[in-house]
């Protein structure tokens, strides 16, 4: 049975979701709200073990973290959300001047929703034309050679994270460039800090930010 504290937490969360999340979706013509457990997201059993359900982040928390990235001109950067789900974070990023915005999601159902959202998204004259939702396991993602802002809101556990970070490390060795990693409600900052050249630039209760430089910058 749930404790009174649990019930209060869920009631508050529900009220917040109704107001803030629904406001975001209505004003952007998208459907990014609502948690989706892995069993409803159509994830194969073999892939469930090290994965987290879809819980959309609060737009205010995503914005707060992205405004803190140590980048002067975002238009030179590609934004990547690993575990993009229905696309909440990619549509928040779409409102910042990133050159392009990529969401990587391994649930076909969630990916389909985020693709529909990319078609219907519009806000203050912007469309989702530079937003690319990809249906892919993060462990198989090929990093583009652009400067990157990589955002993660606890999409998976440590084993998957290590595969993704090893691939990032290899990509940085091959194509040195400025890469920023943003962790929302961070749980794996210690792993990010192990990527060669990665330095922590900021840590708050809600986010941690790391960066690696190209040798000549
Ligand atoms: C906590 S939600 C993140 C939601 C979104 N990024 C945001 O900030 O609102 C985690 C998401 O990661 C996805 N996910 C989990 N493991 C994954 C993997 N190996 N590759 C791609 N997506 C994954 C889940 O399906 C889920 O949609």
């Amino acid at each position: 049975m749930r404790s009174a504290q649990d019930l209060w937490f869920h009631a508050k969360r529900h009220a917040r979701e109704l107001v803030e999340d629904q406001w975001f979706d209505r004003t952007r013509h998208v459907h990014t709200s609502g948690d989706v457990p892995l069993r409803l997201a159509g994830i194969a059993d073999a892939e469930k073990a090290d994965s987290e359900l879809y819980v959309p982040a609060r737009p205010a928390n995503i914005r707060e973290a992205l405004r803190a990235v140590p980048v002067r001109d975002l238009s030179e950067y590609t934004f990547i959300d690993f575990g993009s789900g229905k696309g909440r974070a990619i549509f928040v990023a779409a409102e910042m001047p990133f050159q392009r915005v990529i969401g990587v999601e391994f649930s076909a159902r969630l990916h389909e929703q985020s693709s529909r959202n990319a078609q219907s998204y519009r806000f203050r004259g912007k469309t989702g034309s530079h937003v690319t939702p990809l249906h892919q396991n993060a462990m198989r993602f090929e990093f583009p050679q652009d400067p990157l802002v990589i955002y993660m809101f606890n999409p998976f556990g440590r084993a998957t994270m290590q595969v993704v970070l090893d691939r990032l490390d290899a990509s940085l060795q091959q194509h040195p460039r400025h890469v920023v990693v943003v962790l929302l409600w961070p749980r794996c900052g210690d792993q990010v800090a192990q990527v060669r050249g990665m330095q922590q630039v900021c840590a708050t209760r809600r986010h941690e930010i790391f960066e690696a430089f190209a040798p000549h910058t």
Side-chain angles (χ1 to χ4, degrees):
M1 202 157 73
R2 282 180 169 176
S3 68
Q5 206 182 7
D6 252 18
L7 287 172
W8 173 236
F9 172 83
H10 285 283
K12 256 184 18 186
R13 179 148 185 258
H14 187 63
R16 184 266 294 167
E17 181 171 315
L18 279 179
V19 177
E20 190 181 355
D21 291 13
Q22 298 299 331
W23 172 255
F24 181 86
D25 281 2
R26 273 175 193 220
T27 52
R28 275 77 177 170
H29 309 274
V30 292
H31 297 282
T32 63
S33 299
D35 300 359
V36 182
L38 290 171
R39 79 191 145 75
L40 295 183
I43 306 297
D45 283 348
E47 289 190 303
K48 271 185 195 154
D50 199 39
S51 301
E52 296 291 341
L53 74 164
Y54 176 68
V55 178
R58 290 181 65 180
N61 290 345
I62 303 170
R63 268 186 221 113
E64 179 189 61
L66 295 185
R67 283 185 186 137
V69 300
V71 171
R72 222 175 295 141
D73 185 1
L74 288 179
S75 68
E76 294 171 3
Y77 286 71
T78 291
F79 174 90
I80 300 167
D81 176 14
F82 282 117
S84 45
K86 300 183 203 173
R88 170 67 56 77
I90 58 179
F91 296 112
V92 172
E95 289 162 20
M96 302 178 82
F98 287 107
Q99 186 181 96
R100 47 191 190 126
V101 172
I102 297 173
V104 182
E105 172 56 52
F106 77 163
S107 152
R109 283 182 205 160
L110 295 174
H111 164 71
E112 278 158 21
Q113 181 62 60
S114 74
S115 299
R116 282 195 293 275
N117 287 337
Q119 298 289 321
S120 58
Y121 174 86
R122 52 187 200 283
F123 183 65
R124 295 187 176 157
K126 288 190 177 179
T127 67
S129 60
H130 63 310
V131 175
T132 309
L134 295 177
H135 179 216
Q136 204 174 81
N137 191 312
M139 290 194 286
R140 288 189 273 282
F141 180 74
E142 294 281 344
F143 286 93
Q145 294 173 22
D146 322 330
L148 303 174
V149 173
I150 299 167
Y151 160 95
M152 288 181 273
F153 168 34
N154 296 324
F156 27 68
R158 294 182 73 85
T160 304
M161 182 62 73
Q162 200 52 54
V163 174
V164 172
L165 293 175
D166 287 347
R167 290 173 73 99
L168 174 63
D169 186 292
S171 170
L172 276 168
Q173 296 308 305
Q174 246 189 326
H175 305 287
R177 60 206 187 280
H178 189 211
V179 169
V180 177
V181 178
V182 178
L183 302 178
L184 198 67
W185 298 110
R187 294 200 301 226
C188 61
D190 60 312
Q191 288 179 285
V192 176
Q194 296 300 314
V195 173
R196 280 174 286 182
M198 203 58 85
Q199 304 278 341
Q200 190 173 63
V201 290
C202 118
T204 72
R205 195 168 66 87
R206 279 192 284 270
H207 62 253
E208 286 179 11
I209 299 180
F210 300 80
E211 67 181 338
F213 284 101
H216 61 276
T217 56

